[in-house]
Amino acid sequence: QKEVEQNSGPLSVPEGAIASLNCTYSDRGSQSFFWYRQYSGKSPELIMSIYSNGDKEDGRFTAQLNKASQYVSLLIRDSQPSDSATYLCAVNINYGGSQGNLIFGKGTKLSVKP
Amino acid sequence: EPEVTQTPSHQVTQMGQEVILRCVPISNHLYFYWYRQILGQKVEFLVSFYNNEISEKSEIFDDQFSVERPDGSNFTLKIRSTKLEDSAMYFCASSSGYSNQPQHFGDGTRLSIL
């Protein structure tokens, strides 16, 4: 059974602080890793993608991947109240050249307090 | 920016009735997906579709479900005889099909079975 685990939170941080969101996955065959943001009642919105070990930065967001530890994280710098949402970690496993489907974690609810 | 569009936004149906959910993927994308999210739960993969046939399907996607690409733009999910437990948000997603490319989600259809 392929699993993606996230702390459900809520994670509460003050405005301007760094929010750190974590995710672990069970299948070592996982090749692609994504962070989606989901506001209440809305659809998942792609924030970041990462494919190789290390850090990837995009604006206030940094994704970190450690395949040996089967761990992926998302850092949000200078957190804003508008960042308050549920953050979904998703993992894509490609077999035999097919595109593969996404396996999602339950999400971490982030609350940024003004 | 191109986006995935879904109709209707909300569908209310009597148990046992057939329902068709519609999606227009991003125009140059080749892979199409359906996911569902039961209220308060995680996003779950249903089916992926490429080159006019199903690539993968989950255990949820039983004989009551079918997908079709009736023309060059639409991608539909049909539930033949709806059950109460089919009540959920249904998301369509598409990707360019190149290895590891992210999946982009539509706004979803909220399906309510009475």
Side-chain angles (χ1 to χ4, degrees):
Chain A
Q1 183 78 356
K2 303 175 183 67
E3 297 284 346
V4 176
E5 300 287 343
Q6 296 182 255
N7 188 325
S8 61
L11 173 66
S12 184
V13 300
E15 184 175 356
I18 296 175
S20 178
L21 305 162
N22 305 314
C23 171
T24 59
Y25 59 94
S26 62
D27 196 315
R28 287 194 173 273
S30 303
Q31 298 184 4
S32 313
F33 307 86
F34 305 93
W35 284 98
Y36 287 84
R37 177 174 62 198
Q38 187 175 34
Y39 293 110
S40 182
K42 302 296 185 182
S43 64
E45 175 192 6
L46 181 70
I47 298 294
M48 291 283 289
S49 58
I50 187 165
Y51 308 105
S52 53
N53 283 328
D55 295 0
K56 179 182 177 182
E57 187 175 316
D58 184 0
R60 295 187 297 113
F61 300 98
T62 299
Q64 300 173 316
L65 175 61
N66 183 326
K67 289 187 178 180
S69 301
Q70 296 174 239
Y71 176 89
V72 57
S73 66
L74 179 70
L75 299 178
I76 306 175
R77 289 181 298 281
D78 188 24
S79 296
Q80 301 297 309
S82 58
D83 294 327
S84 298
T86 297
Y87 288 80
L88 309 179
C89 175
V91 174
N92 185 322
I93 303 170
N94 290 25
Y95 288 122
S98 69
Q99 182 65 5
N101 54 280
L102 291 177
I103 300 171
F104 282 85
K106 289 185 177 179
T108 299
K109 188 170 185 177
L110 173 67
S111 177
V112 181
K113 304 294 188 184
Chain B
E1 184 172 325
E3 57 184 29
V4 176
T5 58
Q6 290 186 244
T7 55
S9 56
H10 191 189
Q11 175 79 47
V12 182
T13 302
Q14 291 287 332
M15 185 173 62
Q17 295 297 305
E18 175 184 285
V19 65
I20 297 176
L21 310 182
R22 292 182 166 80
C23 169
V24 179
I26 294 173
S27 61
N28 64 342
H29 282 187
L30 300 176
Y31 284 82
F32 316 120
Y33 309 84
W34 285 101
Y35 292 83
R36 81 171 185 191
Q37 187 175 31
I38 295 171
L39 187 64
Q41 298 188 24
K42 62 182 174 181
V43 178
E44 300 175 289
F45 168 75
L46 293 179
V47 66
S48 61
F49 191 87
Y50 169 70
N51 199 25
N52 285 319
E53 61 182 22
I54 291 173
S55 302
E56 294 178 72
K57 59 183 181 180
S58 71
E59 292 177 352
I60 303 168
F61 194 88
D62 61 22
D63 292 344
Q64 294 300 312
F65 290 87
S66 62
V67 290
E68 193 178 34
R69 187 153 165 85
D71 53 43
S73 60
N74 290 284
F75 178 51
T76 63
L77 174 70
K78 181 193 290 186
I79 308 175
R80 207 176 335 273
S81 178
T82 50
K83 302 187 281 284
L84 292 175
E85 53 265 37
D86 293 327
S87 296
M89 282 289 287
Y90 287 80
F91 297 111
C92 175
S94 70
S95 69
S96 65
Y98 296 99
S99 180
N100 297 332
Q101 290 304 300
Q103 296 177 25
H104 297 270
F105 283 71
D107 287 341
T109 293
R110 181 175 299 283
L111 179 61
S112 300
I113 307 301
L114 304 180

